[in-house]
Amino acid sequence: MADQPKPISPLKNLLAGGFGGVCLVFVGHPLDTVKVRLQTQPPSLPGQPPMYSGTFDCFRKTLFREGIRGLYRGMAAPIIGVTPMFAVCFFGFGLGKKLQQKHPEDVLSYPQLFAAGMLSGVFTTGIMTPGERIKCLLQIQASSGETKYTGTLDCAKKLYQEFGIRGIYKGTMLTLMRDVPASGMYFMTYEWLKNIFTPEGKRVSELSAPRILVAGGIAGIFNWAVAIPPDVLKSRFQTAPPGKYPNGFRDVLRELIRDEGVTSLYKGFNAVMIRAFPANAACFLGFEVAMKFLNWATPNL
């Protein structure tokens, strides 16, 4: 594996990860809206066409009915949540790597990088779950024609008033089931591709921006290939009326497979994959740019 020239700094990972998260949201939110609406649309009645026939149909209808603001609906929640979430995510990854090193110059194996990535998924769940819950509710209410919540803070306030803290954290277990293995795949794939793309005799830190974009984009695709089934279950569970699924994700899984078949676990696949490359390419490029700045500005941090 390629050389790691600098000691790992979890604090720098925290700061650079936050910037990478902002980049990811701005690039990826429109297709995230499409993904959630596809995943949560009700089954069509016999003889009736579905609300959305696919990714491009959903994108077109949302843009036509609600304008560009419709595609960015609910973005405040992930911006508020994703910036600290990605900061904590990259911090967790940096900490996971550091905990496995006996010496600062140790180069980690790919299974060790996967384990460090899984730790980052555990770290982010506390921030990710409420942000995802609010985002999904705001994204589907426009397509359903109801306006129960006027915005992110109003949604959070009403959820707390109605259901307490448990209502805000509904879907925590499914978020863990999605993010722990997916984050392991995410970071391991990115590090693997960076090493492959690094020319002979060069350092990983000298990788060009286009190669970072490609490595980050492909890592995002690998991440979502693992994450989509639990993400579908999470979206359904978090947007369901209270009491609909008393046994949690098992009830959601049973209902989905019974009514719509196994392929329903991959609803929104096209939207996710189209979004995954540019959003995660932007995330990792933002992270690497911020990390280079921090290494220059605060070399001893």
Side-chain angles (χ1 to χ4, degrees):
M1 290 175 65
D3 196 23
Q4 291 182 359
K6 289 185 179 295
I8 294 162
S9 170
L11 183 56
K12 284 182 184 176
N13 276 34
L14 180 83
L15 298 171
F19 183 70
V22 172
C23 296
L24 179 140
V25 173
F26 273 113
V27 173
H29 193 77
L31 280 163
D32 186 72
T33 298
V34 171
K35 177 206 75 172
V36 170
R37 291 187 177 185
L38 287 171
Q39 288 176 344
T40 57
Q41 68 175 324
S44 56
L45 297 171
Q48 295 288 322
M51 186 183 296
Y52 307 114
S53 61
T55 299
F56 293 106
D57 182 55
C58 182
F59 185 92
R60 181 179 59 80
K61 285 178 178 173
T62 302
L63 190 62
F64 178 74
R65 292 170 184 164
E66 303 167 51
I68 195 73
R69 289 183 66 179
L71 292 168
Y72 278 94
R73 197 171 300 280
M75 192 178 76
I79 282 287
I80 293 165
V82 164
T83 303
M85 188 276 293
F86 265 83
V88 170
C89 178
F90 279 87
F91 171 82
F93 180 58
L95 182 64
K97 289 194 292 183
K98 194 160 190 173
L99 288 172
Q100 296 179 88
Q101 287 182 316
K102 293 181 180 176
H103 306 287
E105 66 276 5
D106 287 352
V107 178
L108 299 179
S109 66
Y110 291 119
Q112 287 176 310
L113 292 170
F114 187 86
M118 287 199 296
L119 180 65
S120 78
V122 174
F123 270 53
T124 58
T125 298
I127 300 170
M128 184 64 124
T129 305
E132 287 275 303
R133 168 90 155 122
I134 293 164
K135 172 182 72 70
C136 288
L137 288 171
L138 290 173
Q139 284 172 326
I140 67 158
Q141 79 166 359
S143 60
S144 68
E146 297 177 22
T147 312
K148 184 177 180 181
Y149 310 111
T150 58
T152 300
L153 293 177
D154 182 58
C155 183
K157 185 175 75 173
K158 286 178 178 172
L159 282 174
Y160 183 76
Q161 287 172 344
E162 287 185 61
F163 310 110
I165 197 71
R166 286 174 66 108
I168 293 174
Y169 275 88
K170 182 179 180 180
T172 299
M173 186 54 65
L174 280 164
T175 305
L176 269 173
M177 288 171 60
R178 181 190 70 175
D179 288 352
V180 170
S183 295
M185 181 63 74
Y186 188 50
F187 284 108
M188 183 188 73
T189 303
Y190 179 64
E191 296 290 336
W192 169 60
L193 289 170
K194 279 205 305 180
N195 288 324
I196 286 176
F197 292 161
T198 301
E200 193 72 34
K202 296 278 189 179
R203 289 180 173 177
V204 172
S205 59
E206 297 170 345
L207 208 59
S208 66
R211 293 186 181 196
I212 289 169
L213 286 168
V214 173
I218 294 173
I221 288 171
F222 274 69
N223 168 79
W224 278 104
V226 173
I228 287 177
D231 186 62
V232 173
L233 298 176
K234 181 196 70 63
S235 294
R236 281 289 178 102
F237 184 68
Q238 286 187 317
T239 57
K244 184 175 180 181
Y245 301 116
N247 296 313
F249 76 90
R250 288 171 296 176
D251 285 351
V252 189
L253 181 62
R254 259 195 302 269
E255 181 189 84
L256 269 174
I257 292 177
R258 184 190 68 228
D259 296 346
E260 302 174 51
V262 176
T263 55
S264 63
L265 292 172
Y266 285 88
K267 269 192 170 186
F269 181 85
N270 290 340
V272 167
M273 289 306 172
I274 292 167
R275 169 185 174 269
F277 190 95
N280 289 284
C283 175
F284 274 111
L285 183 61
F287 170 78
E288 296 289 357
V289 167
M291 188 64 87
K292 283 189 177 182
F293 173 77
L294 290 169
N295 286 334
W296 169 78
T298 55
N300 298 318
L301 185 64

